Amino acid sequence: MPTRFARLTAPALLAYALLAPLAQAAPHLPASGATVVERLPRRADPAQRELATLRAQLAATPRDLALATRTAQRYITVARQETDPRYFGYAQAALAPWWTMAAPPPEVRLLRAILLQSTHHFAEALRDLDAIVAADPANPQAWLTRAIVQTVRGDYQAATASCARLSSLSTELVTITCVANVGTMTGRSAKSEALLEMTLRRNQEADAGMQVWVLTLLGEMAQRRGDAKAAEERFKRALALDARDSYLLGAYADFLLDQKRAPEVIALVKEHTRIDGLLLRHALALQQGGTGAEALRNADAELKARFEAAMRRGDTVHQREQARYELHIRADAKTALALAQQNWAVQKESADMIVLLEAAAKAGDKTAAAPVIDWVAKHAVEDVAVARLIKQIKAGA
């Protein structure tokens, strides 16, 4: 899960427009003075007031390293809370004087690695992280982020070694969560899940964010072994702690879609469709439910526009989601398969396996499925959905 551990759920890009190109738009005259034209951000929000102050200070002294890193960190925090990708771009902008340096100051380098990881620039992120841990072997955030990237790329031996370094640098719960996340992808699902669940019970004093992270992972682990009851109980416990966490919402929505509970998905994500991945789940639920044809057409059009815009700017972060969109909403197995293959070259989680196998099955291309089938056998991946798809593809040979 590339964005679960660091809780970075959207790309860090500078090219987010703050204002529409009004000079090119036709003027709009409201029907009355009571018409709501736009809802502006709540300036009374303490976080927004703090960011406004930091922006003003940084504009006056853009090369103030301590101020720039503090500003970037605050933007990342707000981005996590608001699930708004623009704040990651603002974080990168705050670091602009050092962003392109080969060896920026360590505090900038770590933030750059985290932001690069969030945009799936994994090789670049690893270069920064390797340099950080070489210079500062006692940096727990660097080791954790390194383990995340290595797990996503399928370098499980290196990820395990990175997790092990956390044992003397971070909490028991962080260390075990890191190790268990690797174990569940390498044939040790049952032991990893049991160890993580026991560790969480021993660490009930952990902050809510940490508990949400662990409960979401545990929910996914239960789902992968086919225990729907345990998965739902864990997802709901996590939602009780944070009902806005975008990764959690996506994971629970996928669970509900698998259970054919489309109305619950619609209710779950309807207030969060500005996030591409959750708009996709909304569209999938509308399609599965067979109702709301106009709403589905609107969601389809919006997703198409968003994915096309991402492709124009060279953003490949959402290839997995785009592959699902092409496969299930547009019924274009050929395009979906090409996207799923490109995505597989970058990241190798269960969801990446599933979309590639589904697209290969729909396209009738057993050869395209071979890399995933071989990967599952090599690493003893345990996932009932993956196993079912592989059985289906082999049966169709």
Side-chain angles (χ1 to χ4, degrees):
M1 287 170 284
T3 55
R4 169 71 268 159
F5 286 81
R7 297 173 62 82
L8 301 180
T9 55
L13 298 172
L14 289 171
Y16 281 95
L18 295 179
L19 298 173
L22 298 179
Q24 300 175 12
H28 170 67
L29 181 65
S32 75
T35 301
V36 177
V37 178
E38 178 65 283
R39 297 188 184 276
L40 298 177
R42 293 172 295 165
R43 296 303 176 191
D45 185 333
Q48 292 298 328
R49 289 202 305 269
E50 180 188 2
L51 287 173
T53 299
L54 289 170
R55 279 196 303 271
Q57 293 174 346
L58 192 59
T61 56
R63 300 194 69 86
D64 184 328
L65 179 60
L67 177 61
T69 54
R70 185 164 73 252
T71 302
Q73 288 167 343
R74 286 298 296 136
Y75 274 129
I76 290 171
T77 299
V78 173
R80 296 168 182 169
Q81 294 168 343
E82 299 296 326
T83 58
D84 188 334
R86 292 175 300 176
Y87 290 103
F88 294 109
Y90 304 154
Q92 181 175 335
L95 304 175
W98 306 275
W99 185 264
T100 59
M101 288 183 177
E107 55 267 56
V108 171
R109 198 164 203 169
L110 179 57
L111 290 169
R112 184 170 71 179
I114 290 171
L115 290 168
L116 287 168
Q117 175 234 347
S118 77
T119 58
H120 295 190
H121 290 86
F122 296 133
E124 295 90 335
L126 275 177
R127 281 199 294 270
D128 275 340
L129 293 165
D130 289 346
I132 292 167
V133 298
D136 180 15
N139 190 316
Q141 182 62 63
W143 285 113
L144 178 59
T145 309
R146 193 169 183 262
I148 299 162
V149 175
Q150 290 162 335
T151 302
V152 172
R153 286 163 60 97
D155 190 352
Y156 302 126
Q157 184 175 358
T160 300
S162 293
C163 290
R165 298 299 294 262
L166 290 169
S167 61
S168 61
L169 302 174
S170 190
T171 66
E172 176 193 36
L173 188 55
V174 168
T175 303
I176 296 303
T177 306
C178 185
V179 171
N181 190 60
V182 180
T184 195
M185 296 299 296
T186 53
R188 303 190 303 275
S189 290
K191 290 181 178 179
S192 297
E193 184 180 342
L195 176 61
L196 184 55
E197 187 174 29
M198 179 178 65
T199 305
L200 179 60
R201 284 199 301 268
R202 284 203 304 262
N203 290 272
Q204 291 299 306
E205 75 288 351
D207 67 68
M210 184 68 201
Q211 291 190 55
V212 169
W213 169 24
V214 175
L215 286 166
T216 305
L217 288 177
L218 284 169
E220 291 179 313
M221 289 176 182
Q223 183 180 2
R224 285 197 292 267
R225 63 179 171 82
D227 189 340
K229 182 178 179 181
E232 180 153 23
E233 186 269 336
R234 291 161 176 176
F235 286 137
K236 286 186 172 179
R237 283 170 60 194
L239 283 167
L241 293 169
D242 186 352
R244 298 182 61 201
D245 183 289
S246 60
Y247 184 89
L248 167 60
L249 289 170
Y252 187 43
D254 285 341
F255 168 81
L256 293 172
L257 287 167
D258 286 346
Q259 298 292 311
K260 310 299 182 187
R261 292 158 61 180
E264 292 174 68
V265 176
I266 294 170
L268 181 72
V269 305
K270 65 180 180 180
E271 301 299 328
H272 306 281
T273 54
R274 72 182 184 280
I275 302 167
D276 295 350
L278 298 184
L279 176 60
L280 173 64
R281 272 73 169 190
H282 185 252
L284 291 171
L286 289 169
Q287 183 184 66
Q288 186 182 96
T291 57
E294 183 177 357
L296 178 56
R297 284 194 296 271
N298 291 338
D300 180 3
E302 179 65 20
L303 283 165
K304 184 174 186 291
R306 292 188 193 185
F307 287 132
E308 287 178 350
M311 291 175 70
R312 284 195 298 272
R313 64 178 180 259
D315 176 3
T316 60
V317 170
H318 300 299
Q319 282 181 330
R320 177 201 296 170
E321 288 77 10
Q322 190 175 359
R324 290 180 69 183
Y325 164 73
E326 293 290 347
L327 183 63
H328 299 295
I329 303 298
R330 307 292 293 184
D332 185 345
K334 183 178 179 181
T335 299
L337 180 57
L339 287 164
Q341 288 173 314
Q342 293 168 29
N343 176 66
W344 178 252
V346 177
Q347 55 182 16
K348 294 172 171 59
E349 300 181 278
S350 282
D352 306 303
M353 300 176 196
I354 288 170
V355 71
L356 198 157
L357 291 170
E358 286 180 332
K362 285 284 181 66
D365 190 340
K366 183 180 178 182
T367 300
V372 174
I373 294 173
D374 292 344
W375 185 272
V376 168
K378 178 181 178 181
H379 297 287
V381 175
E382 300 166 279
D383 186 312
V384 294
V386 170
R388 183 170 58 249
L389 285 164
I390 290 175
K391 183 178 180 180
Q392 174 188 336
I393 289 169
K394 288 182 175 179

